[in-house]
Amino acid sequence: SQTSTEYASKVARILVKLNMFDQAADSIRREIGLHQQNEQYAAIGRLAVALVLVQLAREDTVAAEKAFKEWGNCCDPHEVQTLESLLQAYDDEDPDTARRALASPFIKHMDIEYAKLARDLKLPRGISSNPKSVSIIENATASYVSTSGSGAEGSAPSPPDDGEEEGGLC
């Protein structure tokens, strides 16, 4: 019913406001399920954007890409274009493109909690090595090798990030 989706929406926004992103992602998925039952597909598109933002706040770009692949078909063309640009920017470790995508008018005009989340998202780090010295390891098997060339031979090893695994598409 309409009331249950309103409550689910409030819960998700409160969880985002409290920076409880794991629970917020679950809540948004429940809200998407309620909108599916009511066949409110435009609302699912907006929630897909919110879910991508929450997954990026969790620093889980793989989950963000999965959310977009699963629900992006409910997004309008402008949302699709912005999310594709945003996810590509994170994959390419391109903070400038990510910043431009997050400054998109429709993101700025989302519910205030999601707009603030987008504003405060940790941007991708960017590439600090000299592009001429970067080489990509061909046919690497043990770990994911990003097309950005980070972690390639000849560059200094970077310290591990707070237990975060190197992500990649499976």
Side-chain angles (χ1 to χ4, degrees):
S1 74
Q2 188 63 32
T3 306
S4 59
T5 56
E6 288 172 15
Y7 283 124
S9 178
K10 286 179 184 178
V11 168
R13 291 192 314 262
I14 289 168
L15 290 167
V16 167
K17 189 173 187 172
L18 296 172
N19 293 331
M20 298 173 70
F21 301 125
D22 292 344
Q23 296 90 333
D26 292 340
S27 185
I28 292 169
R29 282 191 286 269
R30 277 193 296 279
E31 190 180 350
I32 287 172
L34 292 169
H35 284 296
Q36 274 184 302
Q37 291 172 6
N38 298 327
E39 298 182 4
Q40 297 172 321
Y41 299 109
I44 293 172
R46 289 187 298 275
L47 288 170
V49 175
L51 185 55
V52 167
L53 293 174
V54 167
Q55 298 294 20
L56 291 175
R58 292 179 62 239
E59 299 184 32
D60 189 342
T61 55
V62 174
E65 289 177 13
K66 182 180 176 195
F68 176 63
K69 285 178 182 158
E70 189 170 358
W71 304 110
N73 61 328
C74 296
C75 294
D76 70 32
H78 185 66
E79 291 169 335
V80 169
Q81 182 182 18
T82 301
L83 289 177
E84 284 176 343
S85 176
L86 179 62
L87 291 168
Q88 189 63 51
Y90 273 83
D91 191 47
D92 293 344
E93 297 183 24
D94 180 350
D96 296 329
T97 300
R99 190 177 297 110
R100 278 194 300 276
L102 291 167
S104 171
F106 84 84
I107 289 180
K108 285 185 169 186
H109 292 96
M110 290 178 74
D111 286 322
I112 188 71
E113 289 80 8
Y114 297 119
K116 284 181 178 178
L117 178 64
R119 180 194 68 199
D120 298 339
L121 266 182
K122 188 175 179 181
L123 294 173
R125 287 190 278 291
I127 300 169
S128 59
S129 61
N130 179 353
K132 292 180 181 175
S133 68
V134 172
S135 62
I136 296 174
I137 302 167
E138 293 294 328
N139 302 320
T141 55
S143 65
Y144 171 73
V145 176
S146 171
T147 56
S148 68
S150 61
E153 295 172 358
S155 63
S158 56
D161 291 334
D162 303 337
E164 180 179 294
E165 291 181 350
E166 179 72 20
L169 296 177
C170 298

